[in-house]
Amino acid sequence: METLTLSTNDGIALLTLNRPDVLNSINTQLIADMREAVAAVSTDPAARVLLITGAGRGFCAGADLAAQGQRQEGMTIGQGVAHGMTVGFNPMMRELYELQKPIVAAVNGVAAGGGVGLALAADIVIAAKSANFIQVFGPKLGLIPDLGCTWHLPRLVGRARALGLAMTGDKLPAETAAEWGLIWKCVDDAALMDEARGLAAKLAKGPTGTFGQIRKAIDSAGNNDYAAQLDYERDVQGMLGDHPNFAAGVKAFLTKKEPEFTA
């Protein structure tokens, strides 16, 4: 893969965006590499958790506006933008969301535009104190936020803050992002990868398939009323109750031992 590196050790699949000269901005090759990497992680039993970070001084600056993109002959610019989302960006984000393994993002610098959406696709986000999150779409480009930003932002920080971030394009420092609940934790720059790896190692020992179901359950609550969510919980519990992990967990609890999960 040309634009990222992927290595797996001790249950942790470390995916590093590797276009540091352009702040790891997203072009068509990075999309293809990301989709290939996520597919590999999804089928690799040794990879129990995915940890995403960026090489160099930034996490991801969003779409590479200098790249040629996937605009086809006869398309307007807008049609080309929408086409690129249809065949590239959106499938990449859906495949990340559908990964039935926990995802951790270690944001090591600027996350701008679609880079914010990429970071927020993770289940748990840890950021270095020097990192910041910037919604450049509206004030700089005349576009709405994408890569899932309009879905994540109001759910995580509320409508007022989501609109403020999207309309002003102001930098949101990592410490404030943690205070607002946009991310899980802000740590010293030097401690970022140790913190992220420690968290990923903890998740890797858990029932990783269940973590994927937890993601979906939490997100479905925004679209269900209380009664419907209770029914959702019942249906998923019925499915998970038949998995060997549940029996292993109950046995470990009763014997006061640490559970050993298989998936």
Side-chain angles (χ1 to χ4, degrees):
M1 290 176 277
E2 299 176 19
T3 64
L4 56 83
T5 61
L6 179 66
S7 61
T8 301
N9 292 289
D10 298 325
I12 302 170
L14 175 61
L15 188 159
T16 304
L17 307 178
N18 194 28
R19 302 185 73 218
D21 52 325
V22 288
L23 292 175
N24 301 312
S25 59
I26 304 169
N27 62 5
T28 53
Q29 186 60 53
L30 190 146
I31 292 171
D33 290 346
M34 176 71 76
R35 296 180 69 183
E36 179 181 344
V38 170
V41 170
S42 70
T43 58
D44 183 0
R48 295 182 57 79
V49 57
L50 175 61
L51 172 57
I52 303 175
T53 193
R57 59 189 179 89
F59 176 75
C60 177
D64 187 346
L65 298 180
Q68 182 65 28
Q70 294 180 315
R71 181 181 172 193
Q72 297 181 351
E73 185 177 354
M75 286 184 175
T76 66
I77 294 175
Q79 288 170 338
V81 170
H83 177 70
M85 294 176 70
T86 297
V87 302
F89 287 96
N90 288 0
M92 175 183 73
M93 300 306 294
R94 280 196 295 268
E95 288 158 16
L96 264 177
Y97 184 79
E98 291 165 3
L99 181 67
Q100 289 300 296
K101 298 180 182 183
I103 305 172
V104 176
V107 180
N108 53 306
V110 65
V116 177
L118 182 60
L120 297 183
D123 300 307
I124 303 179
V125 183
I126 299 178
K129 284 186 178 179
S130 64
N132 51 68
F133 300 83
I134 314 171
Q135 290 289 295
V136 299
F137 303 94
K140 298 294 185 181
L141 299 171
L143 298 173
I144 66 168
D146 57 19
L147 270 70
C149 286
T150 61
W151 196 89
H152 287 295
L153 286 174
R155 284 169 169 79
L156 294 171
V157 301
R159 183 177 185 273
R161 285 172 170 166
L163 285 170
L165 291 171
M167 290 184 177
T168 66
D170 289 350
K171 290 182 180 180
L172 181 67
E175 288 184 289
T176 306
E179 292 171 3
W180 286 7
L182 184 72
I183 64 174
W184 171 246
K185 187 184 291 186
C186 173
V187 301
D188 290 335
D189 286 32
L192 176 64
M193 291 310 296
D194 284 343
E195 287 272 352
R197 287 180 183 276
L199 172 60
K202 180 178 181 179
L203 296 175
K205 293 179 181 178
T208 54
T210 297
F211 293 151
Q213 292 296 332
I214 289 174
R215 174 196 308 148
K216 290 184 177 181
I218 293 294
D219 292 340
S220 71
N223 300 316
N224 287 337
D225 61 23
Y226 184 67
Q229 190 66 9
L230 288 176
D231 290 343
Y232 182 96
E233 292 172 350
R234 175 204 62 207
D235 294 344
V236 176
Q237 296 295 54
M239 176 185 67
L240 294 177
D242 287 333
H243 195 283
N245 278 341
F246 180 59
V250 171
K251 181 179 179 181
F253 180 81
L254 295 176
T255 58
K256 296 181 171 57
K257 295 180 180 180
E258 287 296 316
E260 295 184 6
F261 295 114
T262 57

